Amino acid sequence: MKNYSFKIPQNIEFGLGSLHKLAEILDKSEHVLLISDKGLAAIGVVKMVEDILGHSGIGYTKFLDVKPNPTIDIVTAATEAFKNCGATSIIALGGGSPIDVAKATGVLATYAGKITDYEGNHKVPGPIVPIIAIPTTAGTGSEVTASAVITDEARNYKMTVFSYEMLPKYAILDPKLIMSAPSHIAAACGVDALIHAMEAYLSVNATPFSDAMAEKAMEMIGRSIRRFVANREDVEAACDMMAGSNFAGIAFAWARLGCIHAMSHPVSAYFNVPHGVANAILMPTVMSYNALTDNGRYEKIYNYICKGKANYTSAVDLVYEVEYLNEDLGIPQSLSEVGVTEDKIVAMAEDAAKSANTLANPRQTTASDIAELYRKAL
């Protein structure tokens, strides 16, 4: 067994109604920047947090201009909002986009400069502004991960800032917050969480610790994702999805991800495809490609997803099963269905090949390999 290390430095609150723990976490003397988006404001989720802050006498300023695949300009605007309101901490309310913006804002609020100055691994020099992450989707795991993915529009590139200094100080996991999600959001986010666990489990950096987190995540998501998409009011399924997404996030924070994620980021950058949808479409193609390296883990993944409904015979069974999962959840089956075209494949493959995620992929890849995978997924 190889040497490894791990830590879980955050305080995590889980449970129905745990959102109300927010008042206990914050100091009444501080002022916080609440980063979220207008969609969550429209359905009343932002107001739920505002009510808790208001009743507790905690001062706050809202920044609601976050959009999917957030850009450098959004991070810059959020940083200005933080400085102008005199905040000392950040609440990140939403899916991966608000949480990623909060992390990037925390870096710039603490150390200044441009977010591109911190692109890559371990360039954040020390602790950042405290962040309380409150996920409203069961998918990204951003509340326990050490990365922020920000779109650089000038390059059509989704850049990654990776540093354990960016880990939120607290995470509040309230399954009630995901129970109002539309079915298509629940499906895309749920498959994204499953892929986090799968890629961490297959990663060349996997350890017994990350395996434990990944396997529990696959068990919980595998048994509940279809139920949750079918009925978001299924409390047991919602709890499974919220906890499973969190465990998957912890797994890939340490084991990293593979080619599914490396390839999905350019798809989102060039064609504005939602991250979870891009991941789900690419999943069968990449899983088929990586099957050559399988050492028995494909069967375990298959059993978590299938819940023992059929006997596993070969890696092909798992590839078919993830295709069936996408179909059951109403996710498009090909990249062409979401607007991806042949003319950008070479550029996307070159961008994907630069991603650190390819280094964790179980099968070594080149830009030409990735281009061929894109073509198969069209």
Side-chain angles (χ1 to χ4, degrees):
M1 184 183 298
K2 64 184 178 183
N3 296 341
Y4 63 94
S5 62
F6 66 88
K7 60 181 177 180
I8 306 178
Q10 294 134 299
N11 298 288
I12 299 173
E13 294 284 350
F14 176 89
L16 294 168
S18 60
L19 179 62
H20 290 279
K21 295 281 187 178
L22 180 61
E24 301 174 16
I25 292 171
L26 289 167
D27 189 317
K28 291 184 179 181
S29 65
E30 64 181 310
H31 192 95
V32 300
L33 180 67
L34 171 57
I35 295 179
S36 191
D37 61 59
K38 293 175 182 176
L40 289 172
I43 62 174
V45 175
V46 172
K47 188 177 185 302
M48 291 169 62
V49 173
E50 288 187 89
D51 288 346
I52 292 170
L53 296 176
H55 292 156
S56 302
I58 297 167
Y60 66 93
T61 298
K62 293 184 291 184
F63 180 86
L64 303 180
D65 291 335
V66 177
K67 297 177 181 178
N69 301 317
T71 63
I72 290 174
D73 288 344
I74 290 174
V75 171
T76 301
T79 303
E80 286 302 310
F82 181 91
K83 293 177 179 177
N84 291 339
C85 74
T88 54
S89 60
I90 298 171
I91 295 173
L93 174 69
S97 295
I99 298 175
D100 281 358
V101 170
K103 292 174 182 176
T105 298
V107 172
L108 297 188
T110 308
Y111 299 107
K114 299 172 293 185
I115 196 59
T116 50
D117 297 336
Y118 305 93
E119 181 177 355
N121 296 335
H122 307 298
K123 293 183 181 178
V124 179
I128 67 169
V129 169
I131 296 172
I132 302 169
I134 308 173
T136 59
T137 61
T140 69
S142 293
E143 73 276 5
V144 288
T145 63
S147 59
V149 180
I150 305 297
T151 299
D152 184 342
E153 293 182 301
R155 293 184 285 166
N156 274 328
Y157 184 67
K158 293 186 79 169
M159 54 167 278
T160 299
V161 178
F162 182 89
S163 171
Y164 291 112
E165 301 291 355
M166 295 196 304
L167 287 166
K169 187 174 181 180
Y170 293 93
I172 297 176
L173 309 179
D174 189 338
K176 284 186 177 180
L177 296 179
I178 68 172
M179 293 173 69
S180 59
S183 61
H184 71 282
I185 298 295
C189 291
V191 175
D192 188 22
L194 178 63
I195 293 170
H196 289 157
M198 287 166 50
E199 289 206 291
Y201 192 57
L202 298 173
S203 168
V204 297
N205 299 321
T207 68
F209 167 73
S210 65
D211 285 351
M213 295 290 106
E215 289 200 64
K216 191 62 180 179
M218 289 187 288
E219 176 189 336
M220 300 177 85
I221 296 169
R223 73 189 179 202
S224 291
I225 186 168
R226 288 177 170 89
R227 284 172 49 194
F228 182 62
V229 172
N231 176 16
R232 264 81 64 222
E233 295 182 4
D234 184 326
V235 174
E236 184 178 337
C239 289
D240 265 359
M241 294 303 296
M242 181 64 97
S245 173
N246 181 257
F247 294 153
I250 294 171
F252 88 79
W254 295 95
R256 306 300 296 269
L257 297 165
C259 275
I260 297 174
H261 274 78
M263 292 173 64
S264 75
H265 287 164
V267 170
S268 296
Y270 280 89
F271 295 98
N272 202 32
V273 178
H275 173 68
V277 173
N279 275 338
I281 293 171
L282 291 164
M283 173 173 55
T285 300
V286 175
M287 293 298 288
S288 179
Y289 174 78
N290 284 336
L292 198 63
T293 66
D294 179 42
N295 60 358
R297 296 198 165 207
Y298 270 43
E299 182 174 4
K300 286 191 174 183
I301 297 171
Y302 176 86
N303 288 332
Y304 285 127
I305 298 173
C306 287
K307 297 176 288 186
K309 71 181 182 184
N311 292 327
Y312 178 90
T313 58
S314 72
V316 174
D317 292 335
L318 177 57
V319 176
Y320 285 156
E321 186 59 32
V322 295
E323 288 177 342
Y324 295 148
L325 178 63
N326 282 346
E327 184 177 355
D328 285 349
L329 300 180
I331 292 172
Q333 299 293 298
S334 67
L335 291 176
S336 59
E337 290 181 56
V338 293
V340 177
T341 54
E342 170 80 28
D343 61 302
K344 299 295 185 184
I345 281 180
V346 172
M348 291 196 303
E350 290 174 351
D351 287 347
K354 297 173 188 175
S355 171
N357 288 327
T358 59
L359 298 177
N361 196 66
R363 183 172 177 181
Q364 293 180 340
T365 57
T366 64
S368 60
D369 294 329
I370 292 171
E372 185 58 29
L373 292 174
Y374 278 133
R375 292 189 180 97
K376 289 181 178 179
L378 273 177

